[in-house]
Amino acid sequence: MHLERILVHDFRNLSEIDLEPSLGINAFYGKNGHGKTSFLEAIHFLAEGRSHRPVMPADLLRRGTAHFSVTGDVRSSLGTTTHLRASYASPQRVLAIDDNPNVAVMEIRAKGRRLQSKVGQLGMIVVDYMQLMSGRS
């Protein structure tokens, strides 16, 4: 699978991102606090409907905002494109596949597992530099 496009709005310290990642490896670099991990967390939230950290969705809001959204288009190796959307506006979290917001989280995960069994995984590695420096795992 390939993440063709991702749009992030008011997620953690990110105000607005519109990116079309290339096939293969994409490298993100920059100074501390400039949004590299926030961007990877936004991708994870889009894929899983939750953070990879033990936080509440309200903790992912950019300071001074009341809503965030992450949308993306994922293309399978079969050539089909699926539009994903994950958003939060207190107290509601919305996860949608192909603009159908009436999909339960368990149904999204089940559909993801079925899709994964057909076309393979969307590979993503999240590196926590603080763990690397401290030697914790």
Side-chain angles (χ1 to χ4, degrees), residues 1-131:
M1 296 185 84
H2 170 65
L3 181 62
E4 291 187 319
R5 183 175 186 193
I6 184 165
L7 291 92
V8 181
H9 181 72
D10 289 337
F11 187 90
R12 292 189 59 190
N13 65 339
L14 306 171
S15 59
E16 192 83 29
I17 290 181
D18 184 348
L19 180 71
E20 295 179 11
S22 64
L23 285 170
I25 296 173
N26 291 270
F28 302 97
Y29 63 93
K31 294 181 180 179
N32 288 342
H34 282 210
K36 301 174 300 293
T37 302
S38 295
F39 180 66
L40 294 175
E41 188 171 5
I43 294 171
H44 189 275
F45 195 91
L46 179 64
E48 293 283 326
R50 61 184 172 83
S51 172
H52 66 277
R53 302 176 300 126
V55 297
M56 299 300 293
D59 298 327
L60 302 173
L61 289 166
R62 190 167 68 92
R63 187 174 293 158
T65 64
H67 171 267
F68 73 74
S69 66
V70 184
T71 60
D73 296 318
V74 179
R75 180 175 296 275
S76 76
S77 59
L78 301 175
T80 58
T81 299
T82 303
H83 181 72
L84 305 174
R85 178 171 47 95
S87 62
Y88 173 79
S90 184
Q92 185 177 18
R93 176 175 27 184
V94 175
L95 304 173
I97 295 177
D98 291 331
D99 292 322
N100 179 1
N102 299 317
V103 182
V105 173
M106 296 306 287
E107 191 176 335
I108 288 174
R109 288 187 179 148
K111 184 172 182 175
R113 283 192 295 274
R114 285 192 303 273
L115 190 59
Q116 178 180 326
S117 70
K118 290 179 185 176
V119 299
Q121 288 187 315
L122 175 63
M124 181 174 83
I125 299 171
V126 176
V127 178
D128 185 330
Y129 291 101
M130 295 308 289
Q131 287 183 358

